[in-house]
Amino acid sequence: MVEWRISETPVPYEEALAFMEHRVAQIAAGEADEMVWLLEHPPLYTAGTSAKREDLVDPDRFPVYEAGRGGQYTYHGPGQRIAYVMLDLNKRGRDVRCFVRRLEDWVIAALAEFNVKGEIRDGRVGVWVTRPDKPKAADGTLREDKIAAIGVKLRKWVSFHGISINLEPELEHFSGIVPCGIRDHGVTSLVDLGIPATMVDLDVALRATFDRTLGDSSRTNTESC
């Protein structure tokens, strides 16, 4: 069974980290169910294990936290839905690459509920949308903006951290970092794309698409992803 938890007000980052650490230990010990936690954070930047100091453009703008997850710098703030996934990969197949791909599939499926086509790109983390409404790049290709970030950590094959989807954050806040180390592309949100969605709408979409992308704990790491 996967427990779902929704926080109605922004959760301080240190509080979220402490909660995840405790819950992951409980799951690994067989003392608690798996959990998906939906929340927002106050404005802040997080540094993943691959973060480069030069990508923190404005270090004094918001608090900066060492996240311990994979990836580089990212922004979190109001209007962005965070989904922290505390799931037991001992039951779901000990395949990190496959698990990350299923997280991507989950984001893409949730975006499809709003008729938004999310895509992944080799060498670029996160989920992307093409922007035919923007001027083309210098090489003639369509512009692409990132709408969701993904970064996870495992302890005893139990995951924590997870995904963030931009519903209606202040996009200018991303200018204080080079998001995920990617300089040649921008960021967007559902509202920026003209989708008048609410956080409740997004939560419903995440719940509706979870089971068909991540809900089957009988999958093993021998299956293709």
Side-chain angles (χ1 to χ4, degrees):
M1 177 181 292
V2 177
E3 178 184 348
W4 287 75
R5 175 179 180 179
I6 300 177
S7 293
E8 301 294 341
T9 58
V11 178
Y13 195 71
E14 304 98 320
E15 180 181 321
L17 284 181
F19 178 88
M20 284 192 289
E21 292 274 357
H22 181 66
R23 184 63 176 236
V24 165
Q26 287 183 310
I27 295 169
E31 298 171 353
D33 291 330
E34 297 174 300
M35 173 180 278
V36 176
W37 185 11
L38 304 178
L39 69 150
E40 297 170 83
H41 285 307
L44 57 92
Y45 298 129
T46 66
T49 54
S50 301
K52 299 176 182 178
R53 178 63 182 80
E54 61 269 25
D55 288 343
L56 183 59
V57 178
D58 190 353
D60 299 322
R61 186 171 192 179
F62 298 125
V64 181
Y65 296 94
E66 299 290 333
R69 52 153 176 81
Q72 301 188 41
Y73 282 106
T74 192
Y75 166 77
H76 294 318
Q80 182 187 71
R81 179 48 96 208
I82 308 293
Y84 286 139
V85 289
M86 290 154 272
L87 301 176
D88 189 354
L89 271 64
N90 292 293
K91 301 175 181 177
R92 297 167 180 273
R94 294 185 176 187
D95 188 323
V96 179
R97 180 192 63 83
C98 193
F99 178 62
V100 172
R101 179 55 190 271
R102 288 189 177 124
L103 289 175
E104 293 169 340
D105 289 344
W106 184 31
V107 173
I108 291 168
L111 292 174
E113 297 288 298
F114 303 97
N115 295 315
V116 172
K117 185 179 181 182
E119 299 176 302
I120 58 174
R121 295 287 183 265
D122 289 338
R124 272 197 266 139
V125 296
V127 177
W128 300 81
V129 294
T130 57
R131 299 302 302 269
D133 55 316
K134 289 188 173 182
K136 291 183 178 180
D139 60 2
T141 58
L142 289 175
R143 295 281 183 181
E144 296 181 345
D145 287 341
K146 188 161 87 168
I147 194 168
I150 297 173
V152 297
K153 182 177 180 178
L154 298 178
R155 181 168 299 149
K156 296 183 179 179
W157 289 103
V158 179
S159 69
F160 52 125
H161 298 280
I163 68 172
S164 60
I165 302 177
N166 296 333
L167 175 75
E168 192 180 9
E170 176 53 69
L171 295 178
E172 199 276 331
H173 287 176
F174 285 90
S175 66
I177 56 171
V178 179
C180 297
I182 299 170
R183 298 178 181 274
D184 299 330
H185 300 278
V187 291
T188 189
S189 67
L190 284 172
V191 171
D192 183 52
L193 294 172
I195 308 298
T198 68
M199 197 66 77
V200 172
D201 296 330
L202 182 52
D203 290 348
V204 169
L206 288 167
R207 289 291 297 266
T209 55
F210 179 84
D211 281 345
R212 68 174 182 259
T213 52
L214 283 159
D216 184 0
S217 62
S218 66
R219 291 173 174 170
T220 69
N221 60 357
T222 60
E223 292 180 291
S224 61
C225 291

